[in-house]
Amino acid sequence: MTKADIVSEIAKSTGIEKGTVLACVESLMNVIKISLSNDENVYLRGFGSFIVKTRAQKTARNISKNTTIIIPEHKIPAFKPAKVFLNNVAKKD
C-alpha cells in the first residue's frame, strides 16, 4: 500500500477531500520525522511507537580490500508495534 492508497482509503471512509487528507498525512509524517531527529519518541496508543535506537560501535570488514573498519555508535529510527497491533496481524495468518 502506498501513501496515495492510504490517502484514498481515508478520503473514502471519512468523506474528506483527498487534498486535505494528503496534507494531514504529510503533516503527521513530518511531525514524526522532526520528533525523532530531536531524540523524542512518538507513542501512538493501540498502534505502536516510533523510537530512536542507538546502535553500538562495531567492527566491520571490507572483504574486497581485506581491511577492517570501525563503525561508530549511531542512532537509527525504529518502529515498535503495539501488542494489540501484533495480535491483529497474527490473527490474519
Side-chain angles (χ1 to χ4, degrees):
M1 182 174 249
T2 64
K3 183 172 29 172
D5 295 335
I6 292 169
V7 169
S8 293
E9 286 293 320
I10 294 171
K12 241 192 294 184
S13 65
T14 61
I16 300 172
E17 292 182 18
K18 282 186 179 181
T20 306
V21 173
L22 179 61
C24 290
V25 170
E26 290 283 346
S27 291
L28 173 69
M29 292 188 310
N30 195 34
V31 167
I32 292 171
K33 284 191 276 188
I34 290 169
S35 295
L36 292 178
S37 66
N38 292 330
D39 282 338
E40 297 174 12
N41 295 335
V42 178
Y43 304 101
L44 302 173
R45 188 173 298 240
F47 184 72
S49 303
F50 294 92
I51 57 175
V52 178
K53 285 187 173 183
T54 302
R55 290 267 170 101
Q57 177 179 308
K58 64 181 179 180
T59 304
R61 294 193 49 81
N62 183 341
I63 297 171
S64 62
K65 294 182 181 178
N66 198 24
T67 59
T68 60
I69 59 170
I70 295 182
I71 300 173
E73 180 179 273
H74 60 282
K75 296 181 180 184
I76 60 163
F79 176 72
K80 181 179 179 187
K83 287 183 182 180
V84 175
F85 185 13
L86 284 174
N87 292 338
N88 286 342
V89 172
K91 287 181 186 177
K92 302 290 181 190
D93 291 341

